Amino acid sequence: MKEVTYLEAIKEAMDEEMSRDPSVFVLGEDVGVYGGAFRATEGFYEKYGEWRVLDTPLSESGFTGAAIGAALVGMRPIVEMQFADFISCAFDQLVNVAAKNHYRWGAATPIVVRAPYGGNIHGGAYHSQCIEGFFFNVPGLKIVAPSTAYDAKGLLKAAIRDNDPVIYCEHKYLYRRIKDSIPEEDYIVPIGKARIALEGKDISIITYGAMVHTALEAAQALNEYGVSCEIVDLRTILPLDKKSIFTTVKKTNKVLVLHEQTKTGGVGAEVSALISEYCFDHLDGPIIRVAAPDTPVPYSAQMEEAFIPQPKNVISAVEKLMRY
């Protein structure tokens, strides 16, 4: 076992897959000589050369389309968006081409789009958005959002080996703030499988990404008051692991859904609807969502703190739910 940061885990996953499979290559803005906006590909250009680490023009639609074309002839491209916010420029390529190839003529489109997302970095409205909701209702896409370094590596390796297009949401706030001990040997984290981040019996908190750590901090405080929280880390947002969601609901009978994405039309709305549809008889109270308000991400540090769900918001919501 060795200890790595979340960002180092991402870098290791790409490096190992590029060494293992010559069809894997990286493309994006500044991924080559500069080593990527966050240094995730630092050293790759020297190690793998200009044909497997491609610097591209500032054209997310163009290089995503090129990656889709390469995938259709047997390559496995990894596309890096400098910031997830810019993925909107590639929306047509992802939604109308990559996601539909399988349904149109059975073609595999094995591309991974790395999307550095999320706030708490004082990046403002154009560098801090959570973009998973933009693609959440698009059949043909998969979306993953790791919360730990272990999962960051295992899910990225699984995404690279997958034959479907995968949007890999990597939270910028976690890059250098969390570490994990991960195995030296090869491993993957299967797409579509949630995990229990904390066992509990009184209430379920269903979440993903950086909010897993917010939930854990809140759970620690709540435990001192005798409230036992079970935290479900979804890990994969599309497709959702419905079995794990329903199992925790039937265990605790109280549910809070937590995410950093804005509230309306977010992942939490779908999770809540599924629980209401399939587990209504097991609920002892309303399903509560804790999410960002429906505004762009503020630039001011104070306003951003108010925008992003904090442990105190989770604690307050849990206390309300525990009164039922």
Side-chain angles (χ1 to χ4, degrees):
M1 301 289 279
K2 58 181 177 180
E3 191 172 69
V4 299
T5 65
Y6 186 92
L7 183 61
E8 289 168 340
I10 291 169
K11 184 176 181 178
E12 278 195 12
M14 289 190 290
D15 192 11
E16 290 179 9
E17 290 303 296
M18 290 178 74
S19 296
R20 185 187 64 83
D21 182 351
S23 71
V24 179
F25 70 101
V26 179
L27 72 166
E29 298 153 358
D30 289 330
V31 299
V33 176
Y34 188 69
F38 296 98
R39 304 297 190 184
T41 56
E42 190 169 30
F44 282 25
Y45 185 85
E46 293 78 10
K47 183 174 182 179
Y48 296 106
E50 60 183 344
W51 293 108
R52 295 187 68 195
V53 187
L54 278 69
D55 278 322
T56 67
L58 299 177
S59 175
E60 285 77 9
S61 178
F63 62 73
T64 301
I68 293 169
L72 290 173
V73 294
M75 303 298 286
R76 291 188 176 272
I78 305 168
V79 176
E80 178 180 300
M81 298 286 162
Q82 282 197 334
F83 289 84
D85 311 66
F86 307 151
I87 203 171
S88 57
C89 298
F91 188 85
D92 183 54
Q93 294 291 347
L94 291 169
V95 171
N96 285 325
V97 184
K100 292 182 172 58
N101 282 340
H102 171 76
Y103 299 99
R104 291 176 72 189
W105 63 78
T109 310
I111 69 167
V112 178
V113 179
R114 289 183 41 237
Y117 79 118
N120 222 4
I121 59 164
H122 316 320
Y126 300 108
H127 296 82
S128 302
Q129 293 178 86
C130 293
I131 53 85
E132 61 272 28
F134 301 165
F135 302 98
F136 186 53
N137 69 343
V138 179
L141 295 179
K142 294 177 179 175
I143 306 173
V144 299
S147 69
T148 67
Y150 179 91
D151 286 354
K153 183 172 182 178
L155 276 172
L156 183 51
K157 289 169 76 77
I160 293 168
R161 298 177 192 184
D162 201 286
N163 282 335
D164 293 319
V166 180
I167 298 177
Y168 180 87
C169 295
E170 51 191 68
H171 204 293
K172 302 186 294 293
Y173 183 72
L174 302 179
Y175 273 159
R176 296 176 176 86
R177 286 182 172 84
I178 63 167
K179 291 183 177 181
D180 270 337
S181 293
I182 63 173
E184 299 275 358
E185 61 271 17
D186 182 48
Y187 73 94
I188 66 164
V189 172
I191 292 174
K193 299 291 184 184
R195 74 181 179 104
I196 302 298
L198 181 67
E199 292 272 0
K201 60 181 178 61
D202 295 327
I203 184 168
S204 298
I205 301 176
I206 301 173
T207 186
Y208 57 92
M211 287 294 105
V212 170
H213 302 278
T214 301
L216 287 168
E217 188 175 339
Q220 186 176 10
L222 287 161
N223 189 53
E224 295 177 7
Y225 296 98
V227 179
S228 171
C229 298
E230 177 151 297
I231 298 174
V232 178
D233 178 1
L234 291 173
R235 301 200 289 193
T236 297
I237 299 170
L238 188 66
L240 286 168
D241 183 354
K242 297 175 186 175
K243 182 179 179 181
S244 293
I245 293 171
F246 297 162
T247 298
T248 192
V249 173
K250 292 173 183 176
K251 177 181 179 183
T252 68
N253 312 119
K254 291 184 171 66
V255 185
L256 184 150
V257 187
L258 168 67
H259 57 67
E260 184 181 327
Q261 182 195 7
T262 50
K263 192 171 190 177
T264 299
V267 173
E270 179 63 20
V271 172
S272 301
L274 285 168
I275 294 169
S276 180
E277 188 173 358
Y278 294 102
C279 299
F280 184 79
D281 290 341
H282 295 273
L283 292 173
D284 282 346
I287 304 163
I288 293 182
R289 289 177 292 159
V290 175
D294 294 332
T295 73
V297 184
Y299 184 75
S300 138
Q302 293 81 5
M303 290 181 68
E304 187 183 33
E305 183 177 343
F307 172 85
I308 296 173
Q310 303 294 324
K312 64 183 179 184
N313 305 122
V314 177
I315 292 169
S316 176
V318 168
E319 289 174 340
K320 176 183 176 182
L321 190 49
M322 289 304 296
R323 289 195 284 271
Y324 282 87

